[in-house]
Amino acid sequence: MNMYCKLPFGRLHSRNPEIIHFSELIDRTPGAVAYKLVNFASLDPAQRARGIKGASNVSKMDKAVWNEFSDNWDELPFESEKLRASFNRTTVEKINMIDESDLPKEGRERERIVKARVNQAFFRSMILATYDNTCCITGLQMSSLLVAGHIKPWSQDEKNRMNPRNGIALNGLHDKAFEEGLLTITPDYTVRISSSLKREKKNPAIQEYFLKYESQKIKLPQRFLPAEEFFVYHNRERFVA
């Protein structure tokens, strides 16, 4: 499930070096691992919305893992990262490239800091993979310029901080505008631009970077379709119409 979250959909195949490496760690064939990933895809509502059925003989265990992960995004990504580190015979700090020099030596505070950093990295990897490393508004494909943002802010909804259905991939400029309520996305995935930006329509930069996207549909993710409730919240509480 960790791998399903973090690999772009088009890379869920047995020739992927990451799948080959993981299959060696758990003593399975790359084909078996890829098949399991496709099983998860068949359980994802976003895949069904795209007309992708996935495997037809999903096991009860596949469903149980999917449901457990979906009900506990705050804990299980971190637990899965610790398992991944264990299989690789290393630590979760090293596998996530966390500088340990500024961490407490041990104790609950260290674990709290490590968990927060691991979760932040996991969420970014998951959301960018979900949107195929593409800004959902502009189509920009340069991961270094993309932000894995929250639709309902991190500070407002602790329960859904790690929920990928509360995530969206935007370039840095449009992420900031979304955060400030200068643009929003409606529950039917349509971009709306605030009146304050529309009043600046004579400004070529405003026209180029914002106004031309008014009423445009966003690029939908390959998995974890954003939940309507989060866009409803943003439209009502954050958007400056």
Side-chain angles (χ1 to χ4, degrees), residues 9 36 67 87 100 166 223:
F9 186 76
K36 184 66 67 176
N67 290 334
F87 279 121
E100 298 184 58
N166 187 32
R223 71 198 79 181

Coordinates of all heavy atoms in Angstrom, one line a residue, residues 9 36 67 87 100 166 223:
F9 N 0.6 6.0 -11.4 CA -0.1 4.9 -11.9 C 0.5 4.1 -13.0 O 0.5 2.9 -13.1 CB -1.5 5.3 -12.3 CG -2.4 4.2 -12.6 CD1 -3.0 3.4 -11.6 CD2 -2.8 3.9 -13.9 CE1 -3.8 2.3 -11.9 CE2 -3.6 2.8 -14.2 CZ -4.1 2.0 -13.2
K36 N -0.4 -7.2 -7.2 CA -1.1 -6.7 -5.9 C -1.4 -5.3 -6.0 O -2.4 -4.8 -5.5 CB -0.1 -7.0 -4.7 CG -0.7 -6.6 -3.4 CD -1.9 -7.5 -3.0 CE -1.5 -8.9 -2.8 NZ -2.6 -9.8 -2.3
N67 N -9.0 -0.7 3.3 CA -10.0 0.0 4.2 C -9.3 0.5 5.5 O -9.5 1.6 6.0 CB -11.1 -1.0 4.6 CG -12.0 -1.2 3.4 OD1 -12.2 -0.4 2.5 ND2 -12.7 -2.4 3.5
F87 N 12.7 -3.6 6.2 CA 13.0 -4.5 5.1 C 14.3 -4.1 4.4 O 15.1 -5.0 3.9 CB 11.9 -4.5 4.0 CG 10.7 -5.3 4.3 CD1 9.4 -4.7 4.4 CD2 10.8 -6.7 4.5 CE1 8.3 -5.5 4.7 CE2 9.7 -7.5 4.8 CZ 8.5 -6.9 5.0
E100 N 19.9 13.8 11.4 CA 19.7 13.4 12.8 C 20.5 14.3 13.8 O 20.3 14.2 15.0 CB 20.1 11.9 13.0 CG 19.2 11.0 12.2 CD 19.5 9.5 12.5 OE1 19.4 9.1 13.7 OE2 19.9 8.8 11.5
N166 N -7.7 15.0 0.5 CA -7.6 16.4 0.9 C -6.4 17.1 0.3 O -6.0 18.1 0.7 CB -7.6 16.5 2.4 CG -7.7 18.0 2.9 OD1 -8.3 18.8 2.3 ND2 -7.1 18.3 4.0
R223 N -5.5 8.7 -8.9 CA -6.1 8.0 -7.8 C -6.5 9.0 -6.7 O -6.2 10.2 -6.8 CB -5.0 7.0 -7.2 CG -3.9 7.7 -6.5 CD -2.7 6.8 -6.3 NE -2.0 6.7 -7.5 CZ -0.9 6.0 -7.7 NH1 -0.4 5.2 -6.8 NH2 -0.2 6.0 -8.9

